[in-house]
Amino acid sequence: MTGRRFEVGYAAAMEAFTEVLESRKEGLGGSWFSAPGESSKDAFMRRLKTSDPAYEIYAAYAAEHTERWANAKALSMDAAIKEMPEIERKYALECAEYDNVLFGINDEFAAAGKLEQEQLAKLADVGKLQAQLDSGAVVAIDGGAKVTSADALSKSVEDFEAGKDKAVDAVMATKLPALDKKK
């Protein structure tokens, strides 16, 4: 579409992947993902090892997904277009919450984020954060705009930390009971 070529390694990996998908068609009667009459949920769960530590999480999600979609209805194109602004608003909120949860639960990201937060706090404490922002040594973006104030950046970091912990607590409170029901 853009006229740019993929890097050689990426192109080779994609070609190998498509060959794997094409080879599955023969064994599954022309279907590469699911067997005839099999739902996508069932196909995914069939491929997942029951010894996987996250198996119960996936099983709980699959059951919740089935329950929620049981009464789904199709929208006309006009109705879908009318719903789009609200869907986009909710999507933006969901992306922000995803970041909060990702940086709160993932050990690698949480550790890196904590280190960066401490470095910014130290710069702010000794009065060097504004100079770093002014020189471009530290660049912060909020809402698509460059943050130019050390105070605004410090406040944003504090707000993120507070929101992150709340988001993690909310997600864990929602998902853990669902797993308990499965046992």
Side-chain angles (χ1 to χ4, degrees):
M1 294 195 145
T2 63
R4 289 183 280 167
R5 293 182 173 267
F6 288 127
E7 290 186 28
V8 175
Y10 185 77
M14 290 302 294
E15 189 173 324
F17 178 70
T18 55
E19 287 175 9
V20 168
L21 294 181
E22 286 298 317
S23 71
R24 287 183 178 173
K25 280 186 175 183
E26 295 169 15
L28 293 173
S31 302
W32 67 268
F33 178 67
S34 58
E38 183 180 43
S39 71
S40 58
K41 176 194 82 165
D42 293 336
F44 176 79
M45 294 304 291
R46 174 174 47 86
R47 288 180 173 86
L48 193 61
K49 293 180 181 177
T50 54
S51 62
D52 187 320
Y55 184 85
E56 290 299 324
I57 294 171
Y58 288 120
Y61 174 77
E64 179 182 340
H65 181 271
T66 301
E67 181 182 318
R68 287 185 179 210
W69 281 89
N71 297 322
K73 61 178 181 161
L75 293 177
S76 69
M77 186 58 76
D78 291 336
I81 290 172
K82 286 180 185 175
E83 295 282 334
M84 203 56 67
E86 180 63 12
I87 292 169
E88 289 174 347
R89 183 188 73 79
K90 288 178 179 178
Y91 173 74
L93 289 171
E94 186 173 316
C95 287
E97 288 304 308
Y98 175 79
D99 287 345
N100 288 336
V101 172
L102 177 67
F103 286 105
I105 291 178
N106 184 298
D107 293 335
E108 182 180 336
F109 288 134
K114 192 69 170 168
L115 178 64
E116 295 293 330
Q117 177 195 7
E118 289 171 1
Q119 290 175 345
L120 289 173
K122 285 179 186 176
L123 286 172
D125 288 344
V126 296
K128 293 185 178 181
L129 183 56
Q130 187 62 54
Q132 294 284 319
L133 285 169
D134 293 342
S135 71
V138 171
V139 177
I141 307 295
D142 185 23
K146 184 177 178 182
V147 176
T148 57
S149 164
D151 291 336
L153 177 56
S154 295
K155 175 85 170 101
S156 178
V157 169
E158 289 171 12
D159 291 347
F160 177 79
E161 282 299 312
K164 174 187 74 166
D165 294 337
K166 288 179 185 175
V168 168
D169 290 344
V171 167
M172 296 308 284
T174 301
K175 292 301 173 192
L176 293 177
L179 291 176
D180 290 339
K181 285 185 210 173
K182 296 292 287 182
K183 292 180 179 177

